[in-house]
Each structure stands twice: as C-alpha cells, then as structure tokens.
Amino acid sequence: MTAWIAAVAVLAAGYGLGRWRPWMRLGDWADWQLRFHLDRWTSRPRQAVLFGLLLATDPVRTVRAWRHRHDPPPPLGPAVRIRNITEEEQ
C-alpha cells in the first residue's frame, strides 16, 4: 500500500511540474537576460552562467542558435503587387 501511495505521489508531482514547466520558464528568463540586459552587469562570468543555464534548460534550440548565429538572413520573397481597381474596369 505504501509503494502505491508513493507511486501516485511521484506521478502527481511529475504532472504538477509538467504543467508548471519550471525548466521552460527558467530557460525563457535566461534567454531574456542574455538578449535584452547586456547593458547592465555585463560580465563574462554572468554571461557564462546564464548561457549554461540556457543550455541546460533548452539544449536543442540553444545549440541550433549557436551553430547558425552567423548565417545570412533568408532571401526575401518577391515584392507585393497591388492592383489598381481602375485597371480591372478597363
């Protein structure tokens, strides 16, 4: 009976953490700190800690962004053509 209650408690805690998403929130916070707050407290150790936190919380997107940080922007699509209503009437 004790093992069953422990298993239910572990599942409930996992469900609660999955709904709360602390890693996702922590990763978003670290990303926000690195992107928009470089003007204050700019130091290499702080940036290294935040980057490590971002790497721990969202490794796939962090590594992908790091690998493609110097890629050229994608080509622009063709210009939008706006038709004049009077052209259709003629």
Side-chain angles (χ1 to χ4, degrees):
M1 185 68 175
T2 305
W4 187 80
I5 292 174
V8 169
V10 167
L11 286 174
Y15 177 76
L17 285 174
R19 296 293 291 173
W20 185 44
R21 299 180 187 189
W23 290 111
M24 220 38 173
R25 291 175 190 230
L26 194 59
D28 290 344
W29 177 82
D31 183 34
W32 187 77
Q33 290 291 321
L34 281 173
R35 281 185 195 224
F36 302 113
H37 287 257
L38 287 178
D39 55 339
R40 64 177 184 176
W41 304 330
T42 307
S43 65
R44 297 288 179 200
R46 179 179 178 271
Q47 289 179 6
V49 168
L50 287 172
F51 182 73
L53 183 63
L54 194 59
L55 188 62
T57 56
D58 197 1
V60 174
R61 284 194 296 175
T62 303
V63 170
R64 186 180 304 136
W66 184 260
R67 285 182 181 162
H68 299 289
R69 68 189 182 278
H70 294 300
D71 288 352
L76 299 175
V80 177
R81 295 187 55 169
I82 301 175
R83 295 184 301 175
N84 194 352
I85 296 175
T86 57
E87 290 177 4
E88 293 179 3
E89 293 175 358
Q90 294 176 352

